[in-house]
């Protein structure tokens, strides 16, 4: 199945793109998708546990299941205001 | 947003604070308070040239609406407006404005404090500070 990955701020710099399509096995989790991305883009590892994940615009845990067509967002610590 | 007391938005244009004050004001208000965050000219002794803000826009809009709703639900606010600017901002420009109208001032101060602290904690917005010799994504609230 294919999902869309969105990356913001430092995560976008590490990924080298704001948006990528990612091919995953069915029944993959958000954490499995992140692990695959870190493997392919080692610069993401430096952000490590500070990254928050969102699936379809809702904050998500690493065990959150992904479905075909899902949007996974990589969110560094926020700095708005 | 269906509640007419609430206004929440992201914008790439300069924030018009007086227009927002007029929007939240009303006959039941005894106080209109505003918090305006602005771009500072230095960070730990380094000169800041400008700041760039980006957002996870659909989620950020919903978080702003949620925060505005909380301010109205937890205090007797008669009007709330929250606007966050995105894009490139020069020193002195407003990055965020939060306004609240309440019958009495104490509730307004408390609601405003809640609003800005919730923005700092939860709003999916990131700032990149540009210095004379480079730029960095800010990694913690400041």
């Amino acid at each position: 199945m294919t999902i869309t990955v969105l990356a913001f701020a430092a995560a976008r710099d590490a990924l080298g793109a704001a948006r990528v399509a990612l091919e995953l096995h069915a029944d993959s989790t958000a954490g499995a998708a992140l692990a695959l991305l870190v493997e392919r883009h080692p610069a993401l590892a430096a952000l490590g546990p500070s990254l928050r994940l969102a699936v379809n615009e809702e904050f998500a845990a690493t065990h959150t299941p992904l479905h075909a067509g899902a949007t996974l967002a990589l969110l560094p610590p926020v700095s708005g205001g | 947003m269906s509640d007419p007391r609430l206004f929440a938005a992201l914008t790439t244009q300069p924030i018009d604070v007086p227009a927002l004050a007029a929007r939240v004001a009303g006959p039941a208000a005894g106080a209109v308070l505003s918090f305006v965050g602005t771009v500072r000219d230095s960070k730990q002794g380094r000169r800041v040239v400008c700041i760039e803000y980006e957002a996870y826009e659909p989620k950020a809009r919903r978080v702003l609406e949620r925060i505005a709703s909380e301010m109205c639900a937890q205090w007797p606010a008669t009007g709330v407006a929250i606007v966050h600017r995105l894009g490139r901002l020069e020193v002195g420009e407003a990055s965020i404005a939060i306004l609240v109208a309440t019958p009495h001032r104490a509730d307004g101060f408390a609601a405003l404090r809640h609003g800005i602290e919730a923005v700092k904690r939860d709003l999916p917005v990131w700032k990149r500070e540009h210095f004379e010799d480079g730029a960095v994504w800010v990694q913690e609230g400041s």
Side-chain angles (χ1 to χ4, degrees), chain A residues 6-10 12-13 47 50 52 54 56-59 71 73 75-81, chain B residues 53-56 58-59 62 84 95-96 119-121 123-128 137-141:
Chain A
L6 303 179
F8 295 91
R12 170 162 46 80
D13 291 350
L47 296 170
S50 73
R52 272 176 108 177
N56 298 335
E57 295 181 21
E58 298 296 339
F59 290 120
T71 298
L75 312 173
V78 300
S79 54
Chain B
Y53 283 92
E54 73 171 49
Y56 183 8
K59 183 160 180 62
R62 286 171 42 217
H84 201 297
S95 53
I96 187 167
V119 162
K120 290 283 183 184
R121 188 181 59 240
L123 189 68
V125 166
W126 297 271
K127 72 175 158 189
R128 188 174 174 88
W137 288 108
V138 177
Q139 288 283 345
E140 68 250 286

Side-chain angles (χ1 to χ4, degrees), chain B residues 57-140:
Chain B
E57 292 192 28
K59 183 160 180 62
R61 273 192 207 94
R62 286 171 42 217
V63 170
L64 284 182
E65 289 172 6
R66 190 204 80 210
I67 294 169
S69 298
E70 286 170 0
M71 291 170 66
C72 261
Q74 295 176 28
W75 291 275
T78 56
V80 170
I82 312 181
V83 178
H84 201 297
R85 176 109 176 252
L86 301 176
R88 179 190 159 121
L89 279 72
E90 307 298 326
V91 168
E93 288 195 285
S95 53
I96 187 167
I98 307 180
L99 293 93
V100 60
T102 49
H104 302 285
R105 68 184 181 282
D107 288 324
F109 281 113
L112 210 49
R113 184 67 191 251
H114 173 82
I116 185 59
E117 299 305 337
V119 162
K120 290 283 183 184
R121 188 181 59 240
D122 295 336
L123 189 68
V125 166
W126 297 271
K127 72 175 158 189
R128 188 174 174 88
E129 288 174 329
H130 291 257
F131 301 99
E132 287 160 306
D133 57 350
V136 291
W137 288 108
V138 177
Q139 288 283 345
E140 68 250 286

Side-chain angles (χ1 to χ4, degrees), chain B residues 10-75:
Chain B
L10 300 168
T11 181
T12 57
Q13 302 300 312
I15 299 173
D16 186 345
V17 177
L20 294 173
R23 180 187 271 269
V24 301
V32 174
L33 287 84
S34 62
F35 171 84
V36 179
T38 55
V39 176
R40 195 169 43 231
D41 67 356
S42 67
K43 173 78 173 282
Q44 288 156 359
R46 296 173 78 191
R47 197 171 84 80
V48 172
V49 177
C50 67
I51 288 185
E52 201 186 323
Y53 283 92
E54 73 171 49
Y56 183 8
E57 292 192 28
K59 183 160 180 62
R61 273 192 207 94
R62 286 171 42 217
V63 170
L64 284 182
E65 289 172 6
R66 190 204 80 210
I67 294 169
S69 298
E70 286 170 0
M71 291 170 66
C72 261
Q74 295 176 28
W75 291 275

